[in-house]
Every structure is written in structure tokens, then in C-alpha cells.
Amino acid sequence: MTTPSLLLLIPPLTQLNTPYPSTAYLTGFLRSQGYAVAQADIGLDMVLSLFSRAGLEQVFDRIRTQRANLPGEAKQMLALEQAYLDSIDPIVSFLQGHDPSLAPRICQGRFLPQGPRFSSGLGQIASLRTVPTSDQARRLASLYLEDLADLVRATVAPQFALSRYAEQVGASASSFDSVLRALAAPPSLTDDFMLTALWRHIEEKNPTVVGITVPFPGNLYGAFRIAEALKQRWPSITVVLGGGYANTELRRLRDPRVFDYLDYVTLDDGERPLLCLLEHLAGKRGDADLCRTFLRANGRVVFRNGNRDPDFGMTETGTPTYDGLPLSRYLSILDTLNPMHRLWSDGHWNKLTVAHGCYWKQCTFCDVGLDYIGRYEAAPSEILADQIEALVAETGRRGFHFVDEAAPPAGLKALALTLLERGVTISWWGNIRFEEAFTPDLCRLLAASGCVAVSAGLEAASDRLLEAMKKGITVAQAARVAAAFRQAGILVHAYLMYGYPGETVAETIESLERIRQLFAAGLLQSAFWHKFTATAHSPIGLAPETHGVRITGPVFGGFAENNLTHEDHAGRAPAWLGEGLYRALFNYMEGRGLSTDVRRWFDRPVARPKVPPNWVELALAEGSQEEDDPSAERRFVWIGGDPVIERHTRGRRRLILPNRVEDAEVSLPAVNAEWLLTLIRTATPMRTKCGEGYPLLRDVRARFPFGGPSAFDAMLQSAAWRKARAIGLLLV
């Protein structure tokens, strides 16, 4: 039997600015195993077909047949059809970064047809005058595209949105009936664009196996529409489905009708299951020896997991590749001017992970038992740095997003040192926990290595709730960690939830007051507040009575199982509460309402929060730590420039300590100046160090040549030492 060839597909719809990374990881790995693998982003293809002159002509042609039933906004946009047709191709090219010269014309205000999004965002549009022309233009172009997306959804393709596709199908699919009902409807115009792109890739690549990744509910419908079309037109092609949605929601898959569309469904990390499946298709392995794979046998769904080979570690999976994914065709949608929040939709980010899984894995609301969280393994910093350099060479892009559940402080420290030692210049951001291990000096080191932002799950700004969640942090600790990042110039985003079991409205309002103070103090730049949902694989979902809730549904119907409904007799989370939290955060992220009473954001009366007005100041003072503490297990690292030593006066030397923005000058006795210069040079990252050889604080103190440890402790209070520390002598 011939060796299978693969085409890995990203179905509609994830992000428009950068590819979802699952196919890039699997393509890199499977190619390293000798397989012919191609990849394609069908969602991007669909969107670019839609947002083109030819695509919009079809949209307007179909809308015209519905003229009698059109909403007023659609009639207004239909009247401007020619303006949309003339502008769509230039705007898409502009958002792809190909034609920046269009920005001034967009900002003039008479080029783009202005639909409902412009009217509803007048206040925000007025504030654009204070930002650079390029950002003004991209925000206006994004509003224009959002108007068109709204028009398409309201008229010819109700399942379409800019970052998801028929999400409701995947979000409520305990039974496969919901998917079948969606597939029974005639294909929409956007479905047609999707399938046209599919056939183009099939004909170009001629694969024997098609793998479809479904990371989110908003990819499920597109995946099954693609699978249906393949089975009808190319039944000889083997169709495999995997990804985050399958890993989380399809773990009890029982409905054999699923396999009218698919041949296999794999769970968890895809490398070993796909490799076993390819060996099986090549006749080298029986189906009993597959790895974490569902299939249909004798009319029933069976789960095969007889493989005895271990999963591949992070040192074995190879480097992801974006080969086949047209990075220059992705769109940077600027849906906000907030400098932190825009990172999710603005520009291409190469995606990597510092560690597999979560090193904490105790949070009661999280699916801590599933493989993607429960199996923790950190990647060696040298391997990560090799991958970074390879991706920079392949893509020409130096932006990296580390998509960890929570990147470990020790792993980030090692990576930062490796990047500095190699002289690799990148910009990066990633997800962390609000750990006090992120000291001010560690944050400065991360910034020196290219860190521009972090996101972290605070969840609730309430110590009682954090303890109930087993988060392992306090709100004051989170404030101090956020302050350390901000002092280093790093942006901070917080994930928040409300409606946790037992949470009262008063507690939610007090959480909002603490969040307001964090924004007002500049410690948060962005946040997102979502409503708590019990999930089937979390500690709460597995033992709801322990957490004071009763699960009320849905009844498992043989397909998906994740989000659960519940009753909570001790807590309250009415809809108006979420609406007020959303309004508050939206304004805080735009820099508005930061000194306003938090009660103003709600449509119902709420109690005044019992939070001190200077809570942030108290929190920052509460746990201030001495980073020069000689008992701490820390090493010196120098992130400044090359010091210069000059003769000052007889017996004294002037030491000039530079960094990229300023110089400091200290005058010391000659022997002290030479000692400090030696310490700095020993602490300077260079390729030969490979993470080793940085002076340990306790050793430096014990061997201090000018009076021993007590004299060293006194020296820590000197002006010269404080200047050296401020310029770039870190303890990490």
C-alpha cells in the first residue's frame, strides 16, 4: 500500500490576522517523519472570496431578491452598492499591509461608505483624531468590514461572523441532531465560497487523507460541511477530525451517524494518534493499536487506544511550519485602539508554547484532568530558541505569541536568557499566572528579551472566591505582579469571571471596584469578564455538590459534552450584572470613567462596595520585597550596555554604565570600580554561557573582597549600587 499523503485544513473560522497554529505544528512534525503534508486555511480563503468585488457582487445580487424584507440598515447599504464594490479590494489590500498609502484617503472621511457601525461608534471615531494616521485608517477600515459582515449575516449567511462560523451549532451540540439540522439547510453563499476553496486545494494537492482541526465551537459547522462535501465528491479520501473542541467535548462520542461524514476522530495531542493512523492506513498497524481514536465498527462507535508508544515530548515534535499558509494575505482587523487588547487581532504572531499543560492545575473551574492541561512538560530553552530562529527565517516575522495555559516563570527566565545570549531580537507575549515569582527584576529581564505584554487569569478580584477556586493567589499579590510588569513597560490583560458558585452580587461589585482601581493606577490595560459556566471535566462539573451547585443539564445525546447548566442557591448572576460589567470594562479600556462610582454602570441598584479607596496603594505596600535579600536564590544578570571605566582622581575611577535610553556615572575607589566592572561583565549574557555562569548573590556576598558579607550588605545601600541596579544589574 502506498504511503498516505495529507492535507490539513483549518475550517471557518478562527482569526483573520494569523493562522491557528495546530496545522503548523502537525505539518512540521509529520514532515519530519517523512510524510508528504500540505496545509490550508479554508476560513481565510472563504473570507477573501467574500470580501472581494466579485464576492460582494454576489452578496448584493442575492440581497436584491429580498428587498421587501430587508432591515433599514441593509437598504441603506444596498443604496451604496457601487461605493462598496469600488472600495472593497483596496481596503482588503490595505488591511493586509500591502498599500499603506491608502491611509490618508481613508482618514479624509469621504472614501469609505459609512454604515451602522460608524453611526454607533461616533464617540470612538471622534477620538481617532489623536492617534497616528495608520491606526485611524485601520480602525475605520475595520468598521467598514464589520458593517459588511453584519450585512452578510443579516441577509445571505446567518452563520457568518468575522471570527467564528455558526458558533451556535457547536455550542449546543449535546446531540448530533443539531449538526444534522444545520447540514440539512441549503449551503449559504459563504458555504459556497468555502467549498470552492476546498476543491481548489484538493485538486492541487491530491491528498489521500484530509485532517480537519476544530479548535472551537465556531469551527464545527464548517468542518462537517467540508466533511460532507468530501464524502459526496471524493469518497476515497479518508477524513479525520481532531483539535481542541474534540479533545474537550467529544470524549464520550457515541453517535454512529458522525461517521457518515468522518472516518476517524482523534483526541488530545495529535502527533502520536496521526502517526499511528497513517501506519494503519499504510497496512502497518491494526486498528486495535490506534492511539486515542474513535471509529465506527459494525455500526457502533468504538474507541481504539491499544498503542503502547508514549506521546512525543516537546523535544521530539520538531519546529512548526507555516509553509502553505499565505501569511501576506491575512487581515489585521483593528477592533479597538487599546494597545493590549488589539494584540489578538493585529498583525501576524508566530505561535509557540513554553510548556505543555499547566504547572498549577488545581483551579476548580478548569478542565485540569484533561491532557492539554494535566500533562505538564516544559520545553528546554535551547529548543525553543532554535524554533524561534527557524520561524523567523521562514516567515520573516519576529512576533511570537506563547499560547501556554500558563507559562512557567522559570521557563520564561531561561528563554529570556537564551534569547539575550544569542542576540535574537523578537517581540513576544503570552499567558501567565499572577505568581510572585514574577519579581520586578524578572519582569525587566523578560522585557529586555522582547516581552511586550502578558495575559493572566485573575478570575475574581475577591480573596474569598480565589480561595474557593483554588487559584493559589490573592488579589493584592496580583496587583503587585501587575505592577512589576508595568514598571518594566509590559502591558497586562486580566481574564475575569462572575457568577462563580456562591458568589453574591455584592462580591461582584466589590471585584469591579478593585478592577477599577487597577485600571486607574495603570496596572491593567485590558480585561475580559465572562460568566462562569460549569464544564463536564472540571472539579466543579465532576463533583458539583461539593461546590454547592446542582447540574441541571443538558442531557448527553451521544455527541458533545462540556458546558453544563447549573442551579446555584447561594449566588446570583443575573443578565443585567454581566451587562454592567461589560460596560464598565469597555470604558476602562478606553480610558473613560476611571474615577466614577462603579454603581453607575448598572441598570439596577447595587450596594456601595466596601473597598478602601486606596486599596491599590495598600496592596502594593503590603508585600513589597527586598530583591537584594542575600538569602534569596538569585543570580546577577546585566542587561545594560558595555561599561566604560575612566580615571577620575588619584585612587578613584569613574564607571559609566549605559543602557539603551540613559547612562549612569558612578565614582568609586579604583579597586571597587574594578570589582563592579568584573561583576557586570561576568553577569552579561553571551552565547558561551548557555544559561550557566551567572554570579549567585550569596556567593558574591560571601566572597566580597572589601570586608566580607557585612560590608557587602552595607554596600547595597550605596548610591553607586542603586544606580547600577537601576541601569540594568538584575537579580533573577
Side-chain angles (χ1 to χ4, degrees):
M1 187 175 289
T2 59
T3 301
S5 61
L6 289 89
L7 173 60
L8 301 179
L9 301 179
I10 307 170
L13 197 61
T14 52
Q15 295 170 269
L16 291 181
N17 63 307
T18 196
Y20 192 77
S22 55
T23 63
Y25 271 96
L26 291 172
T27 299
F29 169 75
L30 291 170
R31 285 181 180 178
S32 74
Q33 301 295 309
Y35 288 95
V37 187
Q39 58 184 328
D41 187 341
I42 301 296
L44 176 69
D45 292 334
M46 181 189 79
V47 168
L48 293 180
S49 294
L50 172 65
F51 293 136
S52 67
R53 188 182 189 97
L56 288 190
E57 284 175 345
Q58 294 186 60
V59 169
F60 284 116
D61 284 346
R62 293 201 182 190
I63 289 175
R64 241 180 252 104
T65 66
Q66 309 172 19
R67 186 182 292 272
N69 301 315
L70 289 179
E73 296 88 349
K75 291 179 180 177
Q76 173 196 358
M77 295 178 70
L78 184 59
L80 294 170
E81 175 182 356
Q82 195 59 48
Y84 282 107
L85 295 179
D86 291 344
S87 56
I88 185 62
D89 289 339
I91 289 300
V92 166
S93 179
F94 173 74
L95 289 173
Q96 290 172 327
H98 302 323
D99 192 4
S101 65
L102 193 62
R105 188 172 182 195
I106 293 172
C107 293
Q108 282 178 341
R110 298 187 179 277
F111 173 59
L112 294 181
Q114 298 190 7
R117 292 275 186 159
F118 288 78
S119 301
S120 61
L122 284 176
Q124 194 180 45
I125 292 172
S127 68
L128 289 176
R129 300 187 187 96
T130 62
V131 302
T133 299
S134 59
D135 280 354
Q136 289 184 49
R138 284 204 292 145
R139 181 67 189 116
L140 293 170
S142 298
L143 288 171
Y144 161 94
L145 220 56
E146 289 165 2
D147 268 333
L148 285 171
D150 293 343
L151 177 69
V152 169
R153 183 166 57 255
T155 56
V156 300
Q159 67 270 55
F160 180 76
L162 284 181
S163 59
R164 58 189 64 87
Y165 200 57
E167 185 176 46
Q168 73 282 358
V169 174
S172 56
S174 58
S175 167
F176 193 56
D177 289 344
S178 64
V179 179
L180 292 177
R181 283 192 296 271
L183 295 176
S188 67
L189 177 61
T190 50
D191 287 347
D192 291 341
F193 290 144
M194 170 180 68
L195 296 177
T196 297
L198 170 68
W199 302 137
R200 185 175 70 252
H201 290 293
I202 293 293
E203 289 163 4
E204 287 177 359
K205 307 301 189 303
N206 193 28
T208 59
V209 179
V210 168
I212 309 174
T213 182
V214 181
F216 308 115
N219 302 98
L220 185 72
Y221 168 78
F224 271 93
R225 187 62 92 176
I226 287 170
E228 176 188 50
L230 284 170
K231 286 303 176 188
Q232 291 173 352
R233 188 163 168 177
W234 295 85
S236 62
I237 292 178
T238 299
V239 182
V240 188
L241 184 142
Y245 182 89
N247 300 343
T248 304
E249 309 219 10
L250 302 186
R251 305 193 76 85
R252 290 177 62 197
L253 182 60
R254 295 291 182 271
D255 196 325
R257 295 176 297 174
V258 170
F259 294 93
D260 293 339
Y261 303 86
L262 307 172
D263 295 291
Y264 303 95
V265 174
T266 67
L267 299 182
D268 301 326
D269 285 0
E271 287 85 359
R272 181 62 73 184
L274 274 179
L275 198 60
C276 289
L277 180 57
L278 294 174
E279 291 172 356
H280 169 63
L281 295 175
K284 301 176 182 178
R285 176 187 292 259
D287 71 9
D289 293 327
L290 292 174
C291 177
R292 299 190 300 272
T293 299
F294 287 106
L295 54 95
R296 183 167 59 187
N298 300 319
R300 296 173 55 249
V301 177
V302 296
F303 185 65
R304 302 299 194 211
N305 195 25
N307 166 68
R308 293 292 175 261
D309 298 315
D311 275 301
F312 291 93
M314 295 190 73
T315 60
E316 303 171 293
T317 54
T319 300
T321 176
Y322 290 98
D323 179 41
L325 300 175
L327 301 184
S328 63
R329 302 186 72 210
Y330 284 82
L331 304 167
S332 282
I333 305 297
L334 200 59
D335 53 10
T336 176
L337 294 175
N338 181 282
M340 173 73 217
H341 212 73
R342 66 188 284 180
L343 294 180
W344 275 275
S345 61
D346 188 11
H348 169 78
W349 298 92
N350 297 314
K351 311 257 185 177
L352 289 173
T353 51
V354 178
H356 181 286
C358 177
Y359 62 93
W360 177 251
K361 56 188 174 190
Q362 295 186 47
C363 299
T364 57
F365 55 84
C366 189
D367 297 335
V368 293
L370 297 187
D371 180 81
Y372 77 99
I373 292 174
R375 182 168 60 85
Y376 176 72
E377 179 195 1
S381 60
E382 291 293 323
I383 297 291
L384 265 178
D386 288 344
Q387 292 177 336
I388 287 170
E389 292 193 87
L391 283 170
V392 169
E394 177 187 278
T395 67
R397 315 296 177 93
R398 294 183 177 272
F400 285 82
H401 181 195
F402 295 112
V403 291
D404 298 68
E405 295 301 313
L412 290 177
K413 171 187 166 182
L415 175 61
L417 287 172
T418 303
L419 293 173
L420 292 171
E421 289 163 2
R422 295 190 182 190
V424 174
T425 298
I426 62 170
S427 296
W428 64 267
W429 60 296
N431 198 46
I432 59 148
R433 282 172 44 79
F434 281 117
E435 297 272 9
E436 286 195 311
F438 288 108
T439 63
D441 272 13
L442 177 55
C443 292
R444 292 173 68 194
L445 177 70
L446 300 183
S449 74
C451 181
V452 296
V454 292
S455 57
L458 175 56
E459 317 309 350
S462 158
D463 285 343
R464 186 192 77 80
L465 294 172
L466 289 173
E467 184 176 4
M469 294 175 181
K470 296 187 179 180
K471 280 291 294 183
I473 62 172
T474 66
V475 193
Q477 174 182 327
R480 292 190 291 273
V481 173
F485 278 109
R486 287 307 296 134
Q487 289 162 12
I490 295 170
L491 303 171
V492 182
H493 170 91
Y495 294 105
L496 302 161
M497 73 168 66
Y498 71 100
Y500 184 80
E503 181 177 357
T504 65
V505 170
E507 284 179 309
T508 306
I509 302 304
E510 294 195 346
S511 286
L512 177 59
E513 169 59 18
R514 294 187 182 96
I515 295 301
R516 181 197 67 78
Q517 292 193 32
L518 290 170
F519 270 98
L523 304 187
L524 289 181
Q525 285 64 59
S526 171
F528 180 78
W529 221 313
H530 73 276
K531 186 176 181 179
F532 165 79
T533 300
T535 57
H537 311 292
S538 67
I540 291 177
L542 294 170
E545 65 286 345
T546 303
H547 300 274
V549 300
R550 185 173 74 87
I551 300 302
T552 57
V555 175
F556 177 61
F559 187 58
E561 181 188 48
N562 187 40
N563 290 351
L564 306 173
T565 57
H566 70 280
E567 290 181 352
D568 178 5
H569 298 296
R572 288 185 62 218
W576 60 263
L577 186 64
E579 292 164 2
L581 295 173
Y582 172 82
R583 280 194 291 267
L585 280 189
F586 177 80
N587 281 278
Y588 295 165
M589 289 194 293
E590 298 293 326
R592 298 189 296 264
L594 294 173
S595 59
T596 302
D597 189 322
V598 296
R599 293 175 293 175
R600 69 162 283 192
W601 304 113
F602 300 93
D603 296 331
R604 309 281 182 89
V606 294
R608 180 188 295 274
K610 299 176 181 178
V611 177
N614 62 339
W615 170 79
V616 166
E617 290 83 350
L618 296 173
L620 296 183
E622 173 188 327
S624 57
Q625 52 183 297
E626 180 57 63
E627 293 207 78
D628 290 338
D629 178 2
S631 65
E633 188 78 10
R634 295 197 177 119
R635 294 183 181 273
F636 287 103
V637 176
W638 174 253
I639 59 170
D642 192 19
V644 176
I645 193 167
E646 299 175 346
R647 182 182 179 87
H648 185 34
T649 61
R650 186 173 181 180
R652 296 185 70 82
R653 297 291 182 268
R654 178 188 293 112
L655 193 58
I656 301 171
L657 305 174
N659 64 24
R660 297 192 182 196
V661 295
E662 62 179 325
D663 293 346
E665 183 180 298
V666 298
S667 177
L668 293 168
V671 290
N672 296 68
E674 292 289 348
W675 175 86
L676 181 55
L677 180 63
T678 299
L679 175 65
I680 286 173
R681 288 182 171 162
T682 307
T684 299
M686 58 187 68
R687 186 174 284 270
T688 55
K689 282 186 178 292
C690 297
E692 302 295 334
Y694 294 94
L696 191 62
L697 171 60
R698 68 163 180 260
D699 292 343
V700 172
R701 178 176 181 266
R703 299 168 186 166
F704 190 59
F706 311 114
S710 60
F712 180 85
D713 294 343
M715 185 267 297
L716 297 181
Q717 309 306 315
S718 68
W721 184 255
R722 287 196 296 271
K723 284 185 178 180
R725 295 281 279 114
I727 286 292
L729 186 58
L730 308 182
L731 276 166
V732 295

